[in-house]
Amino acid sequence: MKTAKIGLMCFFVFMLMACGCEVEPKKPEGKAELSSDVDEAIALFKAKDKSIQKFFDNSYGYAVLPKIFKVALLAGGAYGKGEVYEQGVMIGYCDMKHISGGGSIGGEFYREIIFFREKKDLEKFKGDEFTFSAQAKAVAIVWGAAATTKYKDGVAVFIMTDVGLMADASLSGQKFNFVPKYVLKKVE
């Protein structure tokens, strides 16, 4: 019982910290680090399954979350942030928050890429707090997995586990926020 209380306290501390995070890194170093992590995540996904290239080539846009931390002890939660691309150009930042109940126990770090089939699918994501439905599932990336994956409701989602153990590919309850990238233009 004491272990459960400690775990639950750690979970709530984690969620308080995650909820206070800014979607867009404020300092140039933070933006550069996130961009580097996104590039690394894309390279790892492509190395693990070359057939994922068709999604990069044919989707209207995509969001890459290179570091998501998920923890659960009775209740669970996850948090991560990333970059959003439209037609191959980075247009902004996103973050994902996920709180769940149930009997899950464990923790993991993972990466996630969400592909948007058409402009309307990306626009929906960029709107107010995009949330996956209860039926949404992610495809764990392994050699050839992307070759048979199809879009569902305009999105295709792939995950790659880094460290940890928690066998759950459900996306239900993931909530996303989007912040556009602002480009300052020189006034002449």
Side-chain angles (χ1 to χ4, degrees):
M1 187 64 163
K2 186 175 183 179
T3 305
K5 286 181 182 177
I6 292 170
L8 203 51
M9 286 187 339
C10 290
F11 164 73
F12 285 115
V13 168
F14 167 77
M15 290 312 296
L16 285 173
M17 290 184 332
C19 292
C21 291
E22 297 288 333
V23 176
E24 177 183 2
K26 293 299 177 201
K27 296 183 178 181
E29 304 85 41
K31 291 178 181 182
E33 181 180 347
L34 179 59
S35 184
S36 176
D37 290 344
V38 165
D39 291 343
E40 179 186 22
I42 291 170
L44 288 168
F45 272 88
K46 288 179 177 181
K48 189 82 167 178
D49 184 359
K50 295 189 185 325
S51 64
I52 200 167
Q53 184 64 47
K54 74 176 185 177
F55 285 94
F56 285 101
D57 294 341
N58 300 322
S59 67
Y60 184 80
Y62 53 92
V64 182
L65 293 100
K67 293 179 181 176
I68 298 174
F69 178 65
K70 182 175 182 180
V71 65
L73 183 60
L74 302 177
Y79 180 78
K81 60 173 69 177
E83 295 179 341
V84 180
Y85 293 78
E86 181 174 5
Q87 301 285 281
V89 176
M90 202 279 268
I91 60 163
Y93 301 92
C94 66
D95 76 350
M96 183 277 296
K97 297 175 182 113
H98 181 205
I99 298 175
S100 63
S104 297
I105 296 177
E108 68 182 347
F109 287 97
Y110 66 98
R111 297 172 170 91
E112 182 171 320
I113 300 180
I114 307 162
F115 291 97
F116 306 101
R117 181 176 29 206
E118 299 174 3
K119 182 177 182 169
K120 67 178 182 170
D121 304 314
L122 176 59
E123 292 302 318
K124 184 177 175 186
F125 179 83
K126 289 166 40 180
D128 292 340
E129 288 201 0
F130 177 84
T131 305
F132 281 117
S133 70
Q135 294 78 28
K137 297 280 183 192
V139 175
I141 199 76
V142 293
W143 182 258
T148 59
T149 300
K150 305 218 181 312
Y151 289 98
K152 180 164 174 58
D153 297 325
V155 298
V157 184
F158 295 90
I159 60 169
M160 178 187 293
T161 303
D162 256 4
V163 178
L165 181 61
M166 184 179 287
D168 179 15
S170 171
L171 301 173
S172 176
Q174 284 190 352
K175 292 185 180 187
F176 294 86
N177 293 303
F178 171 79
V179 173
K181 173 183 164 185
Y182 292 102
V183 180
L184 298 175
K185 295 185 179 182
K186 186 177 179 180
V187 178
E188 296 182 28

